[in-house]
Amino acid sequence: MGENEKFDMNKDNTNKFTNYSFSDYASKNVKCPSCGMFNPPKLEKCRRCGTPVPKNG
Amino acid sequence: MSDDKKAQGNSGKVQWQEGDLTVTRTCSWTAPGCHDGCSVLYYTKGNKLVKVEGDPESQYNFGRLCMRCLNQPELVNDPNRVKWPMKRIGERGENKWERVTWDEAYDIIEKNVRNIWRDYGPESIVTAIGTGRNTWSIVPKLTYSAFKSPNFSMGFLAGDSCYLPRAAAMGTMIGDFFIVDASQLDERRYANPEWKRPECIIIWGNNPIISNGDGFLGHWIVDMMKMGTKLIVVDPYLTWFASRADYWLQLRPGTDATVVLAMLNVIIEEGLYDKDFVDKWTYGLDKLAERVKEYSPEKAEEISWVPAEKIREAARFFAKAKPASVQWGLAVDTQRAGVSVANGICALVAITGNLDVPGGQHLIRTAFGVDRLAHVSSDWGYGELSPEMRAKRIGTDKYPLFKYGLCATARGDSVLEAIETGRPYPVQMYWFESTNLFICTASEAKRVYKAMKKVPFVVCVDPVLTPSAVAFADLVLPAAMSIERSSLRTWWTPLRSISKILQYEDCKTDEEICLDLGKRLNPEQFPWDTVEDMIDWALKPAGVTYKELEAKVMMWPEVHYKKYEKGLLREDGEPGFNTDTGLVNLYQDIFDEWGLDPLPSHMEPPYSPISTPQLMKEYPLILTAGSRPWEFFHSEHRQSATLREFHPNPRLTINPETAEKLDIKDGDWVWIENNLGKVKQVAVLDPGIDPRVVHGEHAWWFPEKEAAEPTLFGAFESNINILTTQCTTGPTGYGAPLKNTICKVYKA
């Protein structure tokens, strides 16, 4: 590849498909220790089973 | 020597001689063509394509080819193709051109782009492509990285109604694309011991042996039928598959949501769902169950015309079949409730336990993760734009789902409004590549025609001179066809090489044009010296170079089932789905956040017996449109004398009973008219369509007619898009009533 080795593959110009949009939601949400559902960190309790959601994931 | 023996003698070879013909084994993916990327043997003599055959050694298409692909020599060798870059010298529409060099053409483009950047901002540049073609990955890169604009689009396609409503639905609900597992994931195919033959497949709004849409070859279903797979077909027309189905649900066009919700009603009420899967991996069944109570089979019958008992039986049949899957098509998208219909079908597949199981609905990503150049991903380069620039993508302000679907398009209806009104900002440049705007993708063809005349600078890239090129373009750039291109194909698996064998006149490939302009306008984001360098970069995840892949022709990745159990779907490596909840969202909190209905529901088409009973007195027939014929891929192939011999004129399918009442005979030219206009097609009497419904063909133009305006290749004579509407989508912004409006029909 020559010149291409200098190219930063880890920048945005990635050659791997990312679900650029939902990864925002998916990666920020916090997993419920009881049922496994991911919840927005602002929630106190899991939307699915009502278990308290850990604050720091 | 027989052809079979010849082929055996050349087994595994990529290229060999047969007399004075050179035979090359490779893959073909537009132009000309369709969505699919079949394995072919190209027979060439010097720089001329002599014939094409299906590759008998391919585990993809098993030597099969459709008539469009077999007809490639006529289209590739067509002396009327665009041969070199052309600059307009007359008024738009006069069809007067001057030959220019590539450098001269690039100079004109570069000057315009830089002026627009300075005076209006990059967002004033909009690009467009046609469906299913190789340009799906390349034009986004051109748009985002070279033009620095967020506005890559599917032209003026109302509601982005081609796969994108389904993609958006899958994105929010499941987090990945899915596809029928017809064993195509593994090279051993039907002999793979891990694979199971689906007991039942629903074919929903699709005729896959003709359309081969979305990376799926329709004949795989024929193979499975021969092995015993049963069918349920949901279609207003008696297709070949419908005629062989155990259940044919002949619905009123645009009422699919009622049918799928009634099927869910039966399955949930009767406890026929997979309780283990639902408990572990879904969210919101209780709320979905409440919603579907509103859709009893009787209620669905009232709206959709499908007998309630047939819906019940089909629902039970599907739920009890293990495994089972759904092959869906464009008709799901082309209604205001497109996203709801897709959500309903996703729920049907999920609660019956068919997600990502052998022979079920496979959660699919591209082979080896090779997404660039090779796939229909539309986000290549999108991440390079600043958040401020991304926020300017047309349509996302009013329709948040466009921000979060699996595709990053600017919304076609909103682009049209931006051109018409200058809001949110004016469109200064429009670039369309392998798409025939107002002939094929756009609705309200005359409105779009008028709007496009207002855009100050327009570039068309296409292998042929289309009505859209003549009407709007300031520059026409000649695009190479598949046999003239070095490239890749995944979408979805296996990974395939596309080999360049010929050079037609001064044509360039889409990849070359993108790289040439990228290096001029934003070289940092185009660090490759050649297209082959760019392909090698794209191939890094597969660990091969282009030359190595070309020598193998194709590569099959490892298959994984039940990936949600193994942490193979989410970026954080946790088990679960790649959704906000990690589960399949039967109820969508995100929709709630966006002010949308979090559950699927039916929406009547804007013109229908229920929405506009008064107007139905004047236009008493339901008009559906756009089913695929064997001979053509959208507006392609009309210049082929051979294919036109099979299919010389546009056809209106009408039930003989209805035709008799209207004094119409088979072969009569008839007017199809509604409140938006009228067009002419030839009546074909066919009892396979409901007497209350007619079907008109789409994308017709006549290359044999005068190119200059006002004739414009007969662009307004038979163009069914004159009768369909723009800007009438459902609340998600996705899905438009392209296949469900109304009309009257009378002898021309």
Side-chain angles (χ1 to χ4, degrees):
Chain A
M1 292 286 288
E3 283 296 301
N4 296 345
E5 297 304 324
K6 295 175 200 158
F7 191 58
D8 185 355
M9 297 273 291
N10 296 319
K11 281 182 65 183
D12 283 325
N13 199 339
T14 172
N15 67 355
K16 288 191 176 166
F17 175 71
T18 52
N19 191 350
Y20 63 90
S21 49
F22 271 96
S23 56
D24 286 353
Y25 277 94
S27 59
K28 283 177 192 159
N29 285 356
V30 182
K31 190 174 183 177
C32 168
S34 176
C35 76
M37 173 160 151
F38 287 78
N39 290 272
K42 64 184 178 189
L43 290 186
E44 298 287 321
K45 289 183 175 179
C46 173
R47 284 171 293 178
R48 190 166 183 242
C49 68
T51 303
V53 176
K55 275 295 148 204
N56 298 314
Chain B
M1 195 189 293
S2 73
D3 284 353
D4 277 357
K5 284 190 178 161
K6 276 184 208 164
Q8 281 164 19
N10 294 300
S11 179
K13 289 184 187 168
V14 176
Q15 199 168 65
W16 64 94
Q17 284 296 126
E18 282 188 18
D20 59 353
L21 298 178
T22 304
V23 188
T24 308
R25 191 190 303 275
T26 186
C27 160
S28 177
W29 182 22
T30 70
C34 72
H35 275 224
D36 226 315
C38 286
S39 306
V40 296
L41 300 179
Y42 279 130
Y43 290 75
T44 53
K45 188 175 177 182
N47 194 38
K48 193 176 166 71
L49 175 62
V50 176
K51 71 169 176 174
V52 185
E53 286 179 353
D55 178 0
E57 291 188 10
S58 168
Q59 291 292 86
Y60 189 82
N61 50 309
F62 305 107
R64 295 175 172 123
L65 278 188
C66 72
M67 67 195 299
R68 296 182 296 262
C69 220
L70 291 167
N71 189 243
Q72 277 196 51
E74 198 173 336
L75 294 159
V76 170
N77 301 323
D78 183 355
N80 294 318
R81 281 177 60 182
V82 183
K83 297 182 178 69
W84 39 71
M86 300 193 301
K87 180 183 157 192
R88 177 173 61 79
I89 51 173
E91 292 298 312
R92 282 184 179 168
E94 283 188 345
N95 195 33
K96 291 181 181 166
W97 308 94
E98 173 185 76
R99 179 178 182 174
V100 292
T101 65
W102 278 100
D103 274 339
E104 285 167 335
Y106 288 155
D107 286 345
I108 295 167
I109 294 163
E110 186 177 349
K111 188 177 162 200
N112 273 278
V113 169
R114 291 191 186 280
N115 286 344
I116 291 167
W117 283 351
R118 185 193 61 217
D119 298 338
Y120 300 94
E123 66 273 17
S124 293
I125 300 171
V126 174
T127 64
I129 55 142
T131 187
R133 296 173 176 88
N134 63 308
T135 47
W136 248 113
S137 191
I138 297 153
V139 176
K141 179 66 177 168
L142 178 76
T143 312
Y144 306 137
S145 299
F147 299 152
K148 303 181 184 177
S149 165
N151 289 316
F152 158 74
S153 74
M154 292 198 71
F156 300 101
L157 181 64
D160 284 39
S161 301
C162 178
Y163 201 40
L164 299 196
R166 282 175 284 160
M170 287 185 281
T172 55
M173 202 166 163
I174 294 171
D176 269 279
F177 290 99
F178 64 40
I179 191 167
V180 173
D181 178 9
S183 84
Q184 74 274 33
L185 312 162
D186 185 282
E187 190 173 9
R188 291 166 292 180
R189 294 298 311 254
Y190 305 118
N192 173 12
E194 205 181 356
W195 179 73
K196 288 182 182 165
R197 175 183 59 73
E199 274 186 31
C200 172
I201 295 176
I202 300 182
I203 299 179
W204 202 301
N206 189 222
N207 197 356
I209 34 173
I210 297 181
S211 63
N212 300 309
D214 315 324
F216 187 87
L217 187 75
H219 268 89
W220 297 335
I221 295 184
V222 180
D223 288 343
M224 293 186 288
M225 287 164 69
K226 287 178 185 167
M227 294 178 229
T229 295
K230 304 289 184 193
L231 300 182
I232 297 168
V233 174
V234 184
D235 203 296
Y237 179 68
L238 184 69
T239 60
W240 183 89
F241 285 117
S243 73
R244 287 152 179 82
D246 279 41
Y247 298 95
W248 172 34
L249 310 186
Q250 188 183 21
L251 77 176
R252 170 164 69 90
T255 63
D256 305 54
T258 63
V259 177
V260 70
L261 292 171
M263 289 177 78
L264 287 166
N265 171 308
V266 173
I267 290 167
I268 296 171
E269 285 277 315
E270 298 184 8
L272 299 175
Y273 58 93
D274 183 330
K275 293 178 185 64
D276 188 47
F277 180 86
V278 167
D279 287 349
K280 280 189 188 153
W281 299 110
T282 69
Y283 168 59
L285 180 78
D286 50 340
K287 291 169 181 150
L288 178 66
E290 275 305 305
R291 170 59 56 89
V292 300
K293 277 182 188 164
E294 297 168 27
Y295 293 90
S296 66
E298 284 69 25
K299 171 86 175 173
E301 176 176 348
E302 200 181 295
I303 298 170
S304 71
W305 305 343
V306 181
E309 206 41 43
K310 213 176 222 186
I311 293 174
R312 271 198 186 87
E313 286 173 17
R316 291 170 187 146
F317 190 74
F318 182 76
K320 288 174 186 171
K322 301 291 176 200
S325 52
V326 180
Q327 170 58 29
W328 56 4
L330 193 79
V332 170
D333 305 316
T334 51
Q335 44 195 315
R336 293 172 70 218
V339 172
S340 266
V341 179
N343 282 146
I345 293 172
C346 288
L348 190 65
V349 168
I351 70 167
T352 50
N354 285 302
L355 270 183
D356 221 25
V357 298
Q361 212 79 29
H362 196 74
L363 297 178
I364 186 92
R365 292 181 184 174
T366 52
F368 304 99
V370 174
D371 285 300
R372 305 314 185 200
L373 287 167
H375 179 39
V376 293
S377 61
S378 64
D379 69 334
W380 186 18
Y382 191 73
E384 294 151 20
L385 296 171
S386 66
E388 294 75 28
M389 187 53 71
R390 288 188 223 172
K392 291 180 179 176
R393 176 149 58 97
I394 295 173
T396 54
D397 52 344
K398 287 186 189 159
Y399 300 98
L401 186 54
F402 269 75
K403 271 193 276 193
Y404 295 96
L406 282 172
C407 295
T409 53
R411 182 172 173 269
D413 297 284
S414 303
V415 170
L416 175 61
E417 288 172 334
I419 294 172
E420 289 176 333
T421 66
R423 290 190 297 273
Y425 45 80
V427 174
Q428 295 295 330
M429 172 175 160
Y430 199 96
W431 174 288
F432 61 104
E433 190 155 340
S434 295
T435 182
N436 197 349
L437 300 170
F438 71 117
I439 301 299
C440 187
T441 35
S443 301
E444 282 186 71
K446 289 181 178 172
R447 176 179 172 182
V448 168
Y449 168 81
K450 193 175 158 197
M452 273 300 295
K453 292 281 192 186
K454 287 174 65 175
V455 180
F457 181 57
V458 178
V459 181
C460 168
V461 186
D462 207 287
V464 298
L465 195 67
T466 63
S468 298
V470 173
F472 314 129
D474 301 304
L475 271 177
V476 178
L477 305 181
M481 291 189 172
S482 185
I483 193 172
E484 297 148 7
R485 186 166 73 234
S486 299
S487 193
L488 302 173
R489 162 82 188 217
T490 52
W491 194 27
W492 300 98
T493 194
L495 175 61
R496 288 149 272 176
S497 64
I498 296 172
S499 294
K500 175 171 179 162
I501 302 164
L502 307 177
Q503 172 68 39
Y504 183 84
E505 297 288 348
D506 215 1
C507 289
K508 285 198 183 223
T509 67
D510 301 296
E511 291 84 348
E512 284 175 300
I513 295 168
C514 176
L515 184 58
D516 289 348
L517 281 171
K519 290 183 87 66
R520 278 176 172 245
L521 291 163
N522 192 5
E524 260 189 33
Q525 299 299 341
F526 293 86
W528 311 284
D529 293 330
T530 64
V531 167
E532 191 170 327
D533 281 349
M534 187 161 75
I535 298 174
D536 283 343
W537 171 80
L539 276 170
K540 279 195 169 183
V544 289
T545 64
Y546 176 65
K547 287 278 180 252
E548 288 165 350
L549 178 64
E550 229 185 355
K552 294 170 190 278
V553 183
M554 60 173 67
M555 286 168 61
W556 301 75
E558 204 179 334
V559 189
H560 299 280
Y561 289 107
K562 294 195 175 181
K563 295 183 278 296
Y564 49 87
E565 288 183 348
K566 300 165 189 164
L568 296 174
L569 297 175
R570 296 174 57 85
E571 281 178 33
D572 56 17
E574 290 278 352
F577 292 83
N578 190 31
T579 59
D580 58 332
T581 59
L583 304 170
V584 174
N585 290 318
L586 300 175
Y587 179 90
Q588 305 205 62
D589 285 314
I590 291 176
F591 275 40
D592 211 12
E593 230 174 83
W594 295 334
L596 298 168
D597 187 346
L599 290 161
S601 63
H602 170 63
M603 272 167 265
E604 264 299 300
Y607 300 111
S608 81
I610 295 172
S611 301
T612 52
Q614 278 301 113
L615 207 55
M616 288 297 290
K617 288 177 186 164
E618 193 176 350
Y619 305 112
L621 295 166
I622 307 288
L623 171 64
T624 188
S627 298
R628 307 284 185 270
W630 293 103
E631 298 86 354
F632 313 123
F633 177 54
H634 291 297
S635 67
E636 286 188 18
H637 300 100
R638 299 305 192 289
Q639 67 273 39
S640 160
T642 306
L643 297 176
R644 288 291 291 284
E645 200 170 296
F646 284 100
H647 198 141
N649 289 307
R651 295 169 181 164
L652 179 88
T653 307
I654 184 167
N655 188 285
E657 218 178 89
T658 314
E660 192 180 356
K661 284 180 195 158
L662 298 169
D663 192 27
I664 290 168
K665 294 189 178 51
D666 199 68
D668 282 349
W669 279 93
V670 295
W671 286 110
I672 313 157
E673 181 177 335
N674 68 14
N675 52 329
L676 294 171
K678 66 176 184 177
V679 298
K680 214 163 56 166
Q681 300 200 354
V682 173
V684 173
L685 276 52
D686 187 336
I689 198 157
D690 189 286
R692 296 163 286 185
V693 180
V694 291
H695 171 267
E697 286 186 342
H698 79 305
W700 269 91
W701 61 293
F702 304 89
E704 66 274 20
K705 295 193 177 181
E706 171 62 43
E709 292 180 350
T711 307
L712 208 54
F713 296 117
F716 296 109
E717 292 174 21
S718 299
N719 184 346
I720 206 76
N721 291 347
I722 287 171
L723 309 184
T724 53
T725 51
Q726 290 279 166
C727 309
T728 51
T729 63
T732 62
Y734 281 114
L738 307 183
K739 288 177 181 282
N740 36 84
T741 187
I742 58 175
C743 71
K744 66 179 172 186
V745 174
Y746 53 96
K747 254 194 196 177

